[in-house]
Amino acid sequence: MEQLGLDGMPRRLYSCTPSRLNSWLDCARRYRFTYLDRPAPPKGPAWAHNSLGASVHNALAAWWREPYERRTPLMAAILLTNGWIGEGFRDAEQSALWRDRARDMVSGYASTLDPSDEPIGVERVVATRTAVIAVSGRVDRLDRRGDELVVVDYKTGRRPLTTEDARSSIALAVYAIAATRMMHRTCRRVELHHVPTGAVIEWEHTDESLGRHLRRAEEIAQEAAAADDAYRAWAGGQGRGGRRSADRGVAAAKTPPPEIDELFPPRPGPLCSWCDFRRHCAEGQAAAPERLPWDGLGDE
């Protein structure tokens, strides 16, 4: 059944990524800063742990693009070194220390891989739609195991992963659904590969559990879309044209009135220490202490 808006016209699908949906769940104010305010408020400095994660992801993606005979642990180390991102570290010495640690991470992880086991996709964009959302995202790796597909997501954080992390992830479930529909091959298994330790955390979804995740994604999207529409109406857009112009950054760069601001309340908590927009949020500053850009790395 086609979804209708308040004016009786068909409602445009909410176009999103899992990251956008999770951003709405984490903090509606950060969501507004990220996706709606134009120009967006300036972010804080780069985070060193994000630079580490991006460097590892890039090296592993590049490793699979190498010819088969060059897919060695040494090549993984070389790719990491050549593509190292040094932003957010305290100084060059700290950056070099973590570059060497990351090099050991990727070479150790690469030693557990079969270079001949060609993935279906690396950094592959998958997408699907329902009556409510058009959702897409980039999968770190999409494997074929027998007759089925497996979603593989690399993780580089210091926190140990659990089965609950894999089971509860909306992003991984959406990727599995999208892969099934695009590739016409069943995909129910999702895996988190913790590169620093080599641990593999897996979850086997059922059709029912995937359906629950998709319905939850639709519920989140409907909440966010309603707030988006109100924001765009305030910013001067009307109908689809207003949505398009706001997405392109034409919306007025001014503070929304209270009735609009209330649709995007902050959700203060420990994550406020790591928010890119912390400097623009008094509630976030009060909720959690400020962190240095390299604090997410852990002990040296």
Side-chain angles (χ1 to χ4, degrees):
M1 183 176 179
E2 191 169 38
Q3 189 182 36
L4 300 180
L6 294 178
D7 56 2
M9 297 295 292
R11 178 182 291 277
R12 181 179 177 180
L13 295 183
Y14 180 78
S15 181
C16 62
T17 63
S19 293
R20 182 165 183 150
L21 297 176
N22 284 326
S23 181
W24 174 261
L25 283 181
D26 289 342
C27 179
R29 177 173 290 173
R30 179 163 64 86
Y31 171 95
R32 195 195 87 204
F33 287 159
T34 302
Y35 296 105
L36 297 177
D37 281 355
R38 294 295 181 268
K43 292 184 177 181
W47 296 101
H49 60 276
N50 287 343
S51 295
L52 168 67
S55 299
V56 170
H57 278 72
N58 292 343
L60 292 175
W63 189 82
W64 282 110
R65 298 186 183 109
E66 291 288 329
Y68 162 73
E69 62 274 9
R70 297 179 62 179
R71 294 176 189 167
T72 65
L74 176 59
M75 177 54 68
I78 291 172
L79 292 168
L80 185 286
T81 301
N82 290 344
W84 179 247
I85 301 170
E87 297 179 352
F89 294 91
R90 180 180 58 234
D91 50 33
E93 181 180 1
Q94 187 187 53
S95 176
L97 171 67
W98 282 95
R99 179 199 62 208
D100 293 345
R101 289 186 178 183
R103 185 168 56 209
D104 291 341
M105 284 183 204
V106 297
S107 60
Y109 177 75
S111 70
T112 69
L113 301 174
D114 179 356
S116 66
D117 190 12
E118 198 76 37
I120 293 294
V122 173
E123 293 288 325
R124 174 66 185 263
V125 173
V126 295
T128 190
R129 61 177 55 203
T130 71
V132 177
I133 57 175
V135 60
S136 63
R138 192 180 302 274
V139 181
D140 288 342
R141 202 173 85 216
L142 192 60
D143 287 354
R144 179 166 54 200
R145 313 271 178 82
D147 293 331
E148 298 194 357
L149 302 179
V150 178
V151 170
V152 174
D153 190 48
Y154 302 132
K155 294 296 183 183
T156 59
R158 54 181 173 168
R159 181 179 70 84
L161 301 173
T162 67
T163 301
E164 179 63 15
D165 292 316
R167 185 196 70 80
S168 63
S169 171
I170 292 177
L172 295 182
V174 167
Y175 295 155
I177 293 167
T180 295
R181 294 179 179 180
M182 290 181 64
M183 309 293 183
H184 305 290
R185 189 183 294 267
T186 300
C187 182
R188 294 192 184 93
R189 181 179 294 271
V190 298
E191 293 180 353
L192 298 173
H193 288 206
H194 192 239
V195 180
T197 62
V200 175
I201 311 300
E202 61 186 38
W203 182 258
E204 187 81 21
H205 277 291
T206 64
D207 290 341
E208 289 75 19
S209 65
L210 289 173
R212 285 195 298 272
H213 275 295
L214 191 58
R215 288 191 294 274
R216 179 58 178 144
E218 289 180 323
E219 291 170 357
I220 298 167
Q222 287 174 318
E223 293 176 6
D228 286 8
D229 288 345
Y231 182 98
R232 289 175 175 126
W234 161 76
Q238 295 182 1
R240 294 185 177 181
R243 179 187 295 263
R244 189 178 301 114
S245 62
D247 285 342
R248 291 177 179 173
V250 180
K254 56 184 179 180
T255 303
E259 61 269 22
I260 296 299
D261 198 47
E262 288 173 3
L263 296 174
F264 301 91
R267 296 185 180 127
L271 289 178
C272 294
S273 289
W274 309 100
C275 181
D276 288 331
F277 300 106
R278 172 184 170 83
R279 67 174 73 175
H280 308 288
C281 180
E283 292 88 347
Q285 294 174 34
E290 184 176 7
R291 297 286 185 175
L292 294 172
W294 52 86
D295 281 350
L297 296 170
D299 297 332
E300 299 184 12

